[in-house]
Amino acid sequence: MPLFAPSGAMMMRMSDSIPPEALLADFPDGIRAAAETLRAVVRRAVPGSIERVRGGWRLIGYEVSVGRRSRYFAYIAPEPIHVHLGFEYGAWMTDPDGLLEGAHLGLKKVRFTTFTAGQAIPTKALEALTREAVRVSLLSASERVGLAFDREWEPWR
């Protein structure tokens, strides 16, 4: 017998998703505009991606289809003073422009970029990072370990 069996209502909440616009509606205009710019970046970089609000995390998540499954690769996380474009496997991504943050926080996998209202958003560089995020997310765990060894990876840097 399972220790936890979600009720029908809970299962519905877990699978239901609100539109991204509804999530963003509560944020200041400048943050909402920055988030919309980041959404456009992801759509241009990965046109077939699946966009879904993850209400528990209060973010917009992105997945790519892999056969009958999907792989989570990126998110947009708005906050009242800034918005993040983050990458689930960012620690293994190449970042030629040095835009990714997160290593300084001791994050082992995730890396992110942060933008405030009105800040210039380097859309072309972010499109390249988003495509790189998909490439890395589709690697197996052993392939990512291989990347780490190839780069003499130090996740804390």
Side-chain angles (χ1 to χ4, degrees):
M1 180 170 191
L3 294 175
F4 174 73
S7 69
M10 180 176 275
M11 289 194 56
M12 181 176 279
R13 279 193 306 258
M14 288 171 32
S15 64
D16 284 353
S17 183
I18 64 171
E21 297 80 9
L23 172 71
L24 298 174
D26 293 338
F27 291 92
D29 292 344
I31 298 303
R32 195 167 50 251
E36 289 295 349
T37 299
L38 295 174
R39 288 179 69 204
V41 163
V42 176
R43 282 193 302 269
R44 279 193 306 273
V46 190
S49 62
I50 301 161
E51 178 182 70
R52 182 170 60 90
V53 170
R54 294 172 182 245
W57 290 94
R58 291 195 44 84
L59 58 77
I60 302 166
Y62 292 90
E63 303 171 22
V64 289
S65 294
V66 184
R68 293 180 4 187
R69 296 183 171 185
S70 63
R71 182 68 59 98
Y72 183 67
F73 71 92
Y75 63 87
I76 295 172
E79 297 184 36
I81 60 170
H82 53 242
V83 61
H84 303 287
L85 172 59
F87 304 103
E88 183 69 9
Y89 299 97
W92 293 274
M93 292 169 53
T94 57
D95 180 18
D97 298 313
L99 298 174
L100 295 177
E101 304 173 55
H104 68 289
L105 298 173
L107 301 178
K108 294 186 178 173
K109 285 186 358 177
V110 174
R111 296 294 183 267
F112 58 89
T113 58
T114 304
F115 302 96
T116 57
Q119 181 179 354
I121 296 176
T123 57
K124 294 300 179 198
L126 291 177
E127 287 174 23
L129 277 177
T130 303
R131 286 188 292 275
E132 171 70 355
V134 170
R135 183 189 72 80
V136 172
S137 76
L138 295 176
L139 297 174
S140 68
S142 60
E143 288 171 318
R144 285 193 297 273
V145 168
L147 275 180
F149 284 121
D150 287 347
R151 295 185 187 160
E152 297 181 39
W153 182 54
E154 298 175 27
W156 53 88
R157 290 191 332 157

